[in-house]
Amino acid sequence: MIIQRVVLNSRPGKNGVPVAENFRLEESTIADAIQAGQVRVRTLYLSVDPYMRCRMNEDTGSDYLLPWQLSEVADGGGIGIVEESKHDNFAKGDFVISFYWPWQTVAILDGSLLQKLIPQLVNGCLSYFLGAAGITGLTALLGIKEKGHVAVGANQTMVVSGAAGACGSLAGQIGRLEGCSRVVGIAGTDEKCSILVQEMGFDAAINYKKGNVAEQLREFCPGGVDVYFDNVGGDISDTVISQMNQNSHIILCGQISQYNKDVPYPPLLSPEIEKIQKERNITRERFLVLNYMDKQEAGVLQLCQWIQEGKLKVRETVVEGLANIGAAFQSMMSGGNIGKQIVSVSK
């Protein structure tokens, strides 16, 4: 069977900025017949995520991420429909998801790598299982629960950097649902800031490309910052940490501003900011959602319930066509999208 697939065409280098040309669309073939335990699936949606930047390097710098190989098919979160099954858990027409989905139009996968999806849980919006009702939503929810120490009635203020991104846009809303009394986002355009406030219920949003971020933080967080959901690192995080309260908490989710730099993860703080962190007893521990997968099922059901009730607003940036996944990756890494970046492969 002839298929289309996307392979890693070149590496940007540890300090390089990814471009669409780092990926290549090509034709390939898969077997016409499947073996016992296998499932043939047609790809519907693929997820494009910041962590994938690390997989473009020969060394990911992580013990849980394998690098993509040159001229080999890339992979990540994906959703598809079963066309043929020789696995007891799946039948033709089932919708399934895997975190090891190859970037290709049709694939033969080991059934043990798949999970069956129930579209009704997300009001029929299947792609949500790659974002708000998937690992992205779980990262926001469990990050807040496990590292944020949010308590109802504690009058806590949360700040979210990268607030218009896939995880940040959910984290601010979940922080409110979990009990924060004030939520402030930091994003890179007026449009994003407007969406955060008017659509997603943030109390305020700061365009870090305009004005003085430190002054705006003092204005919008007059009582200081109690919880910081950190997606970006760098200068923005230094500014937020300098205004955090005694015994406050950093949820170290991502450091996208540092992903094109050859630095350790998580990046070290400057001596001045590290002194503030220690003097104020601010927790800053690496958070990895994969360490909490025993809470996945309950977490997904909670996220789906909030979606069904309209309490969790979802934004996606959908790019049509497998051929455009490289451009989608480049756009996502440059911060050009709002919400989760999804590639729609076929209908």
Side-chain angles (χ1 to χ4, degrees):
M1 179 184 296
I2 298 174
I3 63 165
Q4 287 187 315
R5 67 177 193 171
V6 171
V7 303
L8 184 66
N9 187 52
S10 58
R11 301 188 190 277
K14 283 200 171 184
N15 298 302
V17 177
V19 293
E21 291 73 24
N22 291 134
F23 300 96
R24 182 177 76 247
L25 180 72
E26 63 181 27
E27 282 194 346
S28 185
T29 59
I30 60 172
D32 290 325
I34 63 174
Q35 306 299 314
Q38 291 183 329
V39 179
R40 188 176 77 244
V41 291
R42 177 164 52 87
T43 306
L44 298 177
Y45 300 103
L46 294 171
S47 177
V48 179
D49 302 287
Y51 82 86
M52 293 175 171
R53 173 62 184 86
C54 303
R55 302 192 67 188
M56 299 181 79
N57 298 332
E58 289 186 75
D59 178 6
T60 66
S62 169
D63 54 4
Y64 68 94
L65 288 177
L66 294 175
W68 287 329
Q69 299 301 318
L70 289 172
S71 295
E72 296 292 333
V73 66
D75 70 312
I79 289 172
I81 186 169
V82 174
E83 292 190 330
E84 183 183 358
S85 174
K86 289 189 176 180
H87 191 285
D88 292 341
N89 292 347
F90 306 103
K92 183 177 180 179
D94 285 344
F95 294 107
V96 291
I97 188 171
S98 174
F99 302 115
Y100 307 97
W101 199 289
W103 288 7
Q104 56 193 56
T105 50
V106 179
I108 295 174
L109 301 176
D110 187 325
S112 64
L113 298 177
L114 300 172
Q115 291 177 281
K116 191 182 297 186
L117 298 176
I118 303 173
Q120 293 85 348
L121 289 176
V122 288
N123 300 324
C125 299
L126 273 174
S127 57
Y128 285 9
F129 285 113
L130 290 174
I135 286 291
T136 309
L138 283 172
T139 299
L141 175 62
L142 297 180
I144 289 167
K145 281 184 168 293
E146 300 296 328
K147 300 295 185 181
H149 302 274
V150 173
V152 176
N155 195 33
Q156 291 164 299
T157 293
M158 171 185 278
V159 170
V160 183
S161 58
C167 197
S169 60
L170 299 171
Q173 298 179 76
I174 292 170
R176 171 87 73 201
L177 290 166
E178 287 293 303
C180 286
S181 58
R182 188 164 188 79
V183 178
V184 176
I186 302 175
T189 69
D190 289 342
E191 179 193 9
K192 290 178 179 180
C193 290
S194 177
I195 289 170
L196 290 174
V197 174
Q198 296 180 15
E199 185 177 314
M200 298 184 173
F202 284 61
D203 292 283
I206 297 168
N207 182 347
Y208 70 86
K209 295 181 180 178
K210 285 187 174 180
N212 186 298
V213 174
E215 289 180 1
Q216 293 177 80
L217 269 177
R218 281 190 286 271
E219 176 186 350
F220 295 135
C221 309
V225 178
D226 302 294
V227 184
Y228 174 38
F229 200 99
D230 185 4
N231 286 304
V232 302
D235 293 341
I236 288 176
S237 290
D238 290 351
T239 302
V240 177
I241 294 170
S242 68
Q243 296 191 33
M244 294 187 74
N245 292 325
Q246 195 75 24
N247 302 318
S248 54
H249 305 282
I250 299 169
I251 303 165
L252 193 56
C253 178
Q255 302 281 276
I256 196 168
S257 72
Q258 309 298 303
Y259 285 172
N260 296 327
K261 302 176 183 179
D262 187 9
V263 296
Y265 186 86
L268 299 175
L269 297 173
S270 67
E272 178 186 358
I273 299 300
E274 185 179 20
K275 181 181 179 183
I276 290 173
Q277 180 207 350
K278 290 181 177 179
E279 288 179 348
R280 299 181 191 173
N281 193 34
I282 301 170
T283 63
R284 183 181 183 258
E285 300 169 345
R286 182 177 185 177
F287 172 74
L288 181 60
V289 70
L290 297 178
N291 291 336
Y292 300 91
M293 295 315 285
D294 59 315
K295 301 181 180 181
Q296 176 187 9
E297 185 176 355
V300 168
L301 289 176
Q302 175 65 83
L303 292 164
C304 289
Q305 181 181 336
W306 282 334
I307 291 169
Q308 290 174 340
E309 294 172 348
K311 293 180 179 178
L312 196 60
K313 307 295 184 183
V314 182
R315 273 275 186 155
E316 292 181 327
T317 300
V318 180
V319 173
E320 298 288 340
L322 184 63
N324 296 315
I325 198 166
F329 189 89
Q330 179 179 341
S331 175
M332 181 267 303
M333 287 301 300
S334 67
N337 59 297
I338 298 174
K340 179 73 177 180
Q341 180 80 69
I342 297 289
V343 174
S344 176
V345 178
S346 61
K347 296 291 186 182

